Amino acid sequence: MNALYLTARLDIAESLRSRWFMFYSIVFGGIVVLLFVFGLTESRILGFTGLSRLLVTYIQLCVAILPVFILITTVRSVAGDRDAGVFEYMLSLPVPLYAWFWGKMLGRFVVVFLPVFGAMAVAAIYAALRGIEVDWSLFVLYTALLVALAWAFLGIGMLISTLARTPDVAQTGAFLTWLVLLLFLDLILLGLMVRERLPLELIVGIAVANPLQSFRTAAILLFDPQMVVLGPSSYVILDALGRSGYLTFALAYPIALGTLSAGVGYFLFRRGDLP
């Protein structure tokens, strides 16, 4: 466990010194500042006031921005060290492979999650100081959803990084994965299934298997309990799982997906990189 902690600490220290982390933090901090500047905390949309509206908008922006940031930065973890020849040095030290692999993943989770959570926390504290209403239960649920989303794409990123032999290939694979999940699975694949008149339950099941879609649907459910914007799909989800059941699924499934992806990546890493 000490080796795991030291590896995570080393990865955190390296990330904090990099320029991408500064840019990453500025992006999410800037989003919250802009939302305050444009007065979203004072608006009344769908019955939401105070900080709740800001959180809804912030979460929707995170759906598009957070996964690609995580994938692009994470895929260099294994592929970058392989390309730089770090493996030979690491194998000469008394550091178990599991500690190195999982330590890098835990360290990267801290680095990618803290700026996202920090921006939200600062917004909540600022709103409370100004006397603006803060729904803390909603804040906790959004935080949990962000944890699940970040962990899912961290696991996927570690798997891609293990499979790729060079950093360039890893980054290309990460971008294509994000593009498929964001665009093709939502629009092209689902549109094709609707055109072929497949059962609605099957279409909805394939849609929520996409971690981006499950996160987005859970975010919609938090501010629209009837999920009116989803149309007939909402009846399938609510009838099958209910509000609490779907929120539990939206939290558990991405974490399980990220853990499974990282586990497969670790298995391949052990088989492919040991002399």
Side-chain angles (χ1 to χ4, degrees), residues 137-138 141 218 220-227 237-250:
S137 61
L138 190 66
L141 284 173
I220 292 173
L221 181 61
L222 288 178
F223 74 85
D224 181 13
Q226 302 301 319
M227 293 195 292
I237 295 174
L238 294 177
D239 290 345
L241 299 174
R243 184 178 186 274
S244 300
Y246 185 76
L247 287 177
T248 302
F249 167 80

Side-chain angles (χ1 to χ4, degrees), residues 3 5-6 38 45 48 50 52 60 69 78 84 88 109 129 145 157 161 178 182 192-193 195 197 216 228 261 272:
Y5 166 74
L6 291 176
F38 285 103
I45 301 177
F48 272 68
S52 299
Q60 294 301 318
F69 263 109
V78 178
E88 290 80 0
F109 173 79
L129 292 176
L145 285 174
S161 184
W178 172 76
L182 184 66
L192 178 62
M193 289 189 293
R195 183 177 179 181
R197 301 183 183 276
R216 184 184 304 155
V228 177
S261 299

Side-chain angles (χ1 to χ4, degrees), residues 57-118:
T57 307
Y58 181 72
I59 289 297
Q60 294 301 318
L61 291 173
C62 286
V63 174
I65 300 174
L66 182 60
V68 69
F69 263 109
I70 292 176
L71 286 175
I72 293 298
T73 56
T74 302
V75 293
R76 297 187 64 89
S77 295
V78 178
D81 286 354
R82 180 188 291 116
D83 187 64
V86 176
F87 282 167
E88 290 80 0
Y89 174 73
M90 292 300 299
L91 289 175
S92 67
L93 299 175
V95 178
L97 287 179
Y98 78 87
W100 184 84
F101 186 91
W102 295 104
K104 289 186 76 68
M105 184 172 176
L106 291 175
R108 190 53 55 97
F109 173 79
V110 172
V111 169
V112 299
F113 179 71
L114 279 183
V116 180
F117 174 75

Side-chain angles (χ1 to χ4, degrees), residues 27-40:
V27 166
F28 285 98
I31 289 174
V32 171
V33 171
L34 288 176
L35 292 178
F36 268 115
V37 169
F38 285 103
L40 285 177

Side-chain angles (χ1 to χ4, degrees), residues 127-198:
L129 292 176
R130 287 188 55 187
I132 299 173
E133 179 185 357
V134 178
D135 188 337
W136 292 107
S137 61
L138 190 66
F139 179 86
V140 171
L141 284 173
Y142 277 144
T143 301
L145 285 174
L146 286 173
V147 169
L149 182 69
W151 187 259
F153 280 92
L154 272 171
I156 295 172
M158 293 298 288
L159 175 59
I160 296 173
S161 184
T162 304
L163 293 173
R165 310 310 298 180
T166 64
D168 292 337
V169 173
Q171 288 186 331
T172 302
F175 180 75
L176 290 177
T177 300
W178 172 76
L179 191 62
V180 167
L181 292 177
L182 184 66
L183 178 62
F184 292 99
L185 190 56
D186 280 351
L187 299 180
I188 297 178
L189 179 59
L190 293 182
L192 178 62
M193 289 189 293
V194 171
R195 183 177 179 181
E196 295 297 325
R197 301 183 183 276
L198 294 180

